[in-house]
Amino acid sequence: MKFGIFDHVDKGASDLHGFYEDRLKIAEKYDEVGFYAYHVAEHHATTLGMASSPNVYLSAIAQRTQKLRFGPLVYCLPQYHPVRLYEEICMLDNMSRGRLEIGLGKGISNIESSYFGINSNDVTAIYREIFDILAEAWNAKELTYEGKHFTINKLPLEMKPMQAPHPPLWMGVAKPNLLSWPAKHKINIISNNVVSVVREITDDYRSKWMEFGREPDAIPYMGMTRFVVIASTNECALRIGRRAYSVWYQSFMKLWNRYGETPPLASYTDDFDDLMLSGLAIVGKPEVVKKLVDEQIDQSGVNYFSSRFLFGDISYSEAIYAIDAFSEMFFPR
């Protein structure tokens, strides 16, 4: 079992310079206490994501940490040119001495893709072409590729990632019965869904993994993410969670509300108490949180648990309290 962090890097109440500096200091804390990896979302034109260039943000994380692994969850592939993305991945993996984790996806928001001039009907095809280009590039000295959206002719590949042939890959999974492809390619998976659905996902992934004749102990990470709020009392944790989630939810819905659309595959409501009842938020004093996390890990079948300690207007001191309490419970020194 490994423990990681997921962060939308959504904007709270502070100015942007102070916001980034707090995030970097908290990344140092993740590194210090022993979290495995720090995963960040990519969003554009919305307060939901202030790491709109994940590689710029993560290059700072690389310099402020020593052991913490990190990466985008996910790179929204259609919004990149594959040559630049490949080279930046190589740079970042080498700059961090091989600590990069790569999440790959299409991007959940067609609204954001439209700002890049991408037709929603082309998103899947562009995603597949870029994935194929990256897959070929890892093992080549020169790359030639001809597709509908990208043509690359005899590109010299002067850089390689430090991790051979490439950094570990991740993808988000919303439901079961879609696991053959990630199992075939040995991709780590993560879900935001409720425990019962996550259990179906992990059971299906284990089944597909075995169908490829692989050892059970070699299975990639199968994770889930949860909002986690820890304070000295249950009442205090609930107050913090309700307050901060209200701010986060406004950011989450900002573009969808602007265009009168509903986010796909999203199980979030505007009521934090509903989120707690569904198990998507784990809130309370340390011993309460420990019990709930242990129960969800056991029920879901995951081998990776990712906390969201920072969301909305969670303050630096509130986050540090929660991180320290969590680390003392799950990986004490």
Side-chain angles (χ1 to χ4, degrees), residues 4 7 11-12 25 30-31 58 86 90 124 158-159 168 177 212 228 232 240 248 288 312 320:
D7 188 1
K11 193 173 186 307
K25 287 191 293 186
Y30 297 146
D31 191 37
L58 292 171
Y86 170 81
C90 293
T124 298
E158 301 294 352
M159 290 190 288
N177 305 317
F212 286 105
V228 177
S232 57
I240 293 170
W248 178 88
V288 169
I320 291 297

Side-chain angles (χ1 to χ4, degrees), residues 82 128-138 143 145 150 152:
R128 288 175 177 167
E129 282 196 17
I130 295 178
F131 184 92
D132 289 344
I133 290 167
L134 292 174
E136 290 188 27
W138 305 132
L143 178 65
Y145 181 90
F150 298 99
I152 302 170

Side-chain angles (χ1 to χ4, degrees), residues 70 81 100 127 151 247 259 299 323:
F70 56 80
H81 191 284
L100 184 62
Y127 163 80
T151 298
V247 176
Y259 290 91
Q299 293 166 7
I323 293 162

Side-chain angles (χ1 to χ4, degrees), residues 65-85:
T65 58
Q66 297 297 318
K67 297 172 291 185
L68 183 70
R69 302 185 66 81
F70 56 80
L73 198 58
V74 297
Y75 286 123
C76 300
L77 289 191
Q79 298 163 13
Y80 289 84
H81 191 284
V83 173
R84 178 174 291 277
L85 180 59

